[in-house]
Amino acid sequence: MHPFDAEKPPQLAVLLGYAGLVPFVGGALGIWVIPMGWRPFVLAALLDFAAVILAFMGAIHWGLAMRAEETDENAKLQLGLSVIPPLLGWAALAGGLPMGLSLPIFLFAFIGLYLADMHAVRVGLAPQWYPALRTPLTLVVCLSLLVAWASVLIR
């Protein structure tokens, strides 16, 4: 296993993390170049993928909490934080909200998830290399959601 106190993330995690950005970047940029009739489909696909990733990332926090002692208050907090991102993603999708409202909810959820990631590192639940992986990934995800949101607001 990759050392918990390593400064750099495992190469496979980096490769898979960056591969996961393809739907975000492709969706956000695609909205600007495809015919107008396809925009709702691309926006919906982008938000569907974002919801899946929020659930995946929330599950990571569940796993981080599971490896701690039962009495660890930080682990209990992390366990609670693990369910918030997927619930926000689900609410944004299932609530039938307009895209102009759903996109900022997703943006807020990813920023909150990043803060939970950094909290997990600070309290020793997540590895020291985690910020080196999460920071650039979160930045690209948030920029992609902002680009998509701008397309909804402008067009």
Side-chain angles (χ1 to χ4, degrees):
M1 192 66 184
H2 198 67
F4 205 75
D5 59 352
E7 288 184 30
K8 293 184 178 182
Q11 192 61 32
L12 182 57
V14 172
L15 291 172
L16 293 172
Y18 280 92
L21 293 176
V22 171
F24 283 104
V25 174
L29 295 178
I31 293 165
W32 290 90
V33 297
I34 61 169
M36 287 295 272
W38 285 88
R39 283 185 69 220
F41 171 76
V42 173
L43 276 167
L46 174 62
L47 293 188
D48 288 346
F49 186 72
V52 167
I53 296 304
L54 284 174
F56 172 76
M57 296 305 299
I60 288 174
H61 287 274
W62 187 282
L64 293 173
M66 285 183 6
R67 63 177 290 281
E69 295 295 322
E70 186 177 353
T71 57
D72 186 340
E73 292 301 316
N74 289 317
K76 290 177 183 178
L77 173 63
Q78 218 63 36
L79 195 60
L81 291 174
S82 74
V83 298
I84 295 171
L87 285 174
L88 285 173
W90 171 78
L93 288 179
L97 301 173
M99 288 292 175
L101 214 50
S102 292
L103 282 158
I105 290 172
F106 275 96
L107 184 60
F108 172 76
F110 276 101
I111 292 169
L113 181 60
Y114 178 76
L115 295 174
D117 292 341
M118 296 308 105
H119 177 265
V121 172
R122 278 192 306 278
V123 300
L125 291 173
Q128 291 301 305
W129 53 261
Y130 204 46
L133 177 67
R134 295 296 307 134
T135 301
L137 295 176
T138 300
L139 182 63
V140 173
V141 166
C142 289
L143 286 173
S144 296
L145 292 171
L146 282 170
V147 167
W149 191 18
S151 77
V152 170
L153 297 175
I154 293 172
R155 287 183 162 190

